[in-house]
Amino acid sequence: QVQLVESGGGFVQPGGSLRLSCAASGNILNINRMGWYRQAPGKQRELAASITSTNYTNYADSVKGRFTISRDNAKNTVYLQMNSLEPGDTAVYYCNARRWTGYAFIDYWGQGAQVSVSS
């Protein structure tokens, strides 16, 4: 069992910045990938950013150059630094941890953090 607790969401003006945090606890061994998904009502879920156990990072085109995913292994925490925020970034952001069991992935989810970008 893995628990993911998110923090750092909020309301920000266009051009502003926020940093989301995702603290992992429980059975955190052999987590292959951490990521941040985002979803607005009526829209598809999008993987905004991810980082693997080998530190490979990937970003959606819509956030590339503005968002940075990072991790602090000592704190078992993953971050999403969001700069130059745009109204289109408004969504609920979900922290995701993925474990490869040898035959399938198991996903764990944070509770979601609302990010609202508006003037």
Side-chain angles (χ1 to χ4, degrees):
Q1 187 176 357
V2 174
Q3 295 82 43
L4 304 174
V5 179
E6 302 179 33
S7 62
F11 189 92
V12 66
Q13 294 182 339
S17 298
L18 286 173
R19 189 175 77 161
L20 302 180
S21 298
C22 176
S25 62
N27 185 17
I28 61 174
L29 295 177
N30 299 319
I31 295 296
N32 302 97
R33 190 196 75 176
M34 301 289 296
W36 291 94
Y37 287 83
R38 65 182 189 177
Q39 187 170 30
K43 298 182 179 179
Q44 68 177 4
R45 186 184 65 179
E46 175 186 44
L47 179 61
S50 63
I51 183 168
T52 71
S53 59
T54 57
N55 289 320
Y56 174 83
T57 58
N58 191 43
Y59 299 93
D61 288 341
S62 57
V63 309
K64 194 171 299 180
R66 300 186 298 117
F67 290 12
T68 302
I69 188 170
S70 62
R71 67 200 307 166
D72 185 338
N73 290 333
K75 297 181 178 180
N76 297 322
T77 300
V78 175
Y79 304 95
L80 185 66
Q81 179 67 45
M82 303 181 291
N83 298 327
S84 301
L85 283 163
E86 305 168 352
D89 297 319
T90 297
V92 178
Y93 286 71
Y94 296 95
C95 181
N96 165 260
R98 178 166 289 180
R99 173 183 288 136
W100 174 246
T101 67
Y103 64 91
F105 288 111
I106 298 177
D107 283 323
Y108 304 91
W109 297 95
Q111 79 276 17
Q114 178 69 53
V115 173
S116 299
V117 184
S118 176
S119 61

